[in-house]
Amino acid sequence: MSDCIFCKIIVGEIPNYTIYEDDFALAFLDITPRTKGHTLVIPKVHAENLLELDEKYAEKLLVTVKKTQEKLNDVLKPDGYNVGWNHGKAGGQLVPHLHIHIMPRYNNDGGANMHAIVNNPGDESVEEVYKLFKK
Ligand code: AMP
Ligand code: ZN
């Protein structure tokens, strides 16, 4: 997409710090890192989110995440990771081109885990929610 900043990164119109790439995806350092080595992995086709991504790219994406983690392990030797993506406005997505955040974690870095993102489960029990899937 012509006005997408991550599509511009893919074609080289905007500079970036690439640390790994293959035919299907690009991994580059986040310009506003939350941890040392905070990396974004993006498919090399425009898709706002995973649901819009061609399955051929979707099935390759996790392999690229793995290869990128191997690279980060080699160079930065973190103690752990948080990996995930923001989907949609409610999920906090700012850039409308799917990007998987890889956040290397270090012992005693002061951060929290994914459970800290939200804690608002609503009034229905898990069983009631499960029943919605059975209708
Ligand atoms: P979000 O859409 O909320 O998942 O976050 C977008 C992420 O993209 C943020 O972490 C930004 O720091 C990052 N970002 C935005 N523009 C660039 C860029 N030109 N190069 C690298 N990272 C970027
Ligand atoms: Zn794009």
Side-chain angles (χ1 to χ4, degrees), residues 4 6-7 46 97:
C4 169
F6 286 177
C7 282
H46 184 81
H97 181 130

Side-chain angles (χ1 to χ4, degrees), residues 57-99:
Y57 282 84
E59 67 184 19
K60 303 277 186 187
L61 204 52
L62 198 58
V63 176
T64 311
V65 169
K66 183 174 191 284
K67 300 276 188 197
T68 303
Q69 277 193 273
E70 287 169 358
K71 189 83 181 179
L72 287 162
N73 267 355
D74 284 348
V75 177
L76 299 179
K77 300 176 179 37
D79 301 304
Y81 290 95
N82 294 110
V83 181
W85 58 96
N86 300 320
H87 180 140
K89 195 174 168 200
Q93 183 176 8
L94 297 176
V95 177
H97 181 130
L98 173 62
H99 48 285

Side-chain angles (χ1 to χ4, degrees), residues 5-6 9 14-16 28-33 38 40 86 92-95 99 101:
I5 58 167
F6 286 177
I9 281 178
I14 294 178
N16 72 94
F28 56 99
L29 297 177
D30 193 303
I31 205 74
T32 314
H38 181 176
L40 303 177
N86 300 320
Q93 183 176 8
L94 297 176
V95 177
H99 48 285
H101 291 261

